[in-house]
Amino acid sequence: EAFSEPAAVAYQLVRRRLDETAANGAGRYLLYRTEVRSAALAGRPGTLEAGFDLDSDNGSSAYAQAGEGNDGMRLGDPFAITRPGNRDHVLAEDVVDFGLRLYRRTEKGELAVMFPISGHDTVHLATKASSPRGSSEAMFPVAVEMMLRILSDEGVRQLAAMESAAGEKMPRPARFGNDADWWWSVVTANSEVFTCWINLPGREG
């Protein structure tokens, strides 16, 4: 008989040099998928030892604070949730945008977005074990819409030129008021968006 074990999982976008030994190496946008080991292994803690509070503001959490045998450099370290250090955690390269929409079920049985509610929402912590169907306070979603944006080869080339030490040689076009608008213009013109719908059965109260 097979048994399932709890495991904390995190996705994170990080811009890092592929060759960290090169002082001026080009940065790449990397999507990390970090999966914490279910239990301690060789003295290094797992999900059961770290607990289930993934709040990054909790300074006592093994997910937010490095500790002995938990530096984020080994596959399965809880601290890798906050700061992934092992390149084997890299799921994809040249991902410049990654986001989720979480959905709840209304009293009429329709799906409604529960996160994000506004453009300022960046964190969702599921702190309630269950909620009445249709409640606006429902913390566990019944479905998730996942989106990621991946650069084309030309997009990678243009961003590398913009962000490199030699970027001063590539002046910002006058039609852009700031670097952020210029950056997004290049990204949207040289990338492709992929979406995925995930149902979470058994989450409705």
Side-chain angles (χ1 to χ4, degrees):
E1 183 177 356
F3 294 91
S4 61
E5 298 177 320
V9 177
Y11 293 85
Q12 186 175 160
L13 277 180
V14 182
R15 182 179 180 274
R16 285 180 173 161
R17 292 191 299 270
L18 290 180
D19 183 3
E20 295 186 350
T21 62
N24 296 314
R28 298 289 289 271
Y29 293 87
L30 309 174
L31 176 62
Y32 284 80
R33 182 188 185 278
T34 304
E35 181 173 335
V36 180
R37 63 182 71 89
S38 59
L41 179 66
R44 304 182 78 89
T47 300
L48 292 176
E49 292 73 29
F52 304 99
D53 183 358
L54 302 183
D55 187 352
S56 59
D57 291 331
N58 182 355
S60 63
S61 169
Y63 301 109
Q65 187 116 347
E68 184 176 355
N70 178 35
D71 55 10
M73 298 302 295
R74 300 278 187 90
L75 290 176
D77 285 354
F79 184 57
I81 288 284
T82 299
R83 189 177 300 170
N86 193 310
R87 290 303 174 90
D88 288 338
H89 281 133
V90 174
L91 182 64
E93 297 177 5
D94 305 320
V95 179
V96 288
D97 197 9
F98 175 80
L100 302 174
R101 284 194 184 96
L102 308 182
Y103 292 82
R104 63 181 178 86
R105 189 77 65 179
T106 68
E107 293 179 351
K108 296 181 179 180
E110 300 170 341
L111 290 175
V113 175
M114 59 183 288
F115 173 87
I117 300 301
S118 74
H120 301 289
D121 292 342
T122 58
V123 176
H124 177 81
L125 296 175
T127 58
K128 295 184 179 181
S130 62
S131 300
R133 177 171 171 158
S135 169
S136 61
E137 297 298 320
M139 298 303 291
F140 283 92
V142 299
V144 177
E145 184 181 14
M146 181 182 296
M147 178 278 293
L148 59 83
R149 182 186 292 272
I150 302 179
L151 291 171
S152 65
D153 291 343
E154 177 60 16
V156 171
R157 187 194 68 77
Q158 289 194 34
L159 285 194
M162 292 170 63
E163 297 174 348
S164 69
E168 300 84 21
K169 299 178 181 178
M170 188 177 179
R172 184 177 71 225
R175 67 181 182 276
F176 299 112
N178 55 61
D179 288 345
D181 289 344
W182 181 27
W183 189 93
W184 269 114
S185 177
V186 170
V187 166
T188 54
N190 298 278
S191 63
E192 189 168 354
V193 174
F194 299 86
T195 61
C196 177
W197 185 269
I198 305 169
N199 289 311
L200 301 176
R203 290 300 186 188
E204 299 186 62

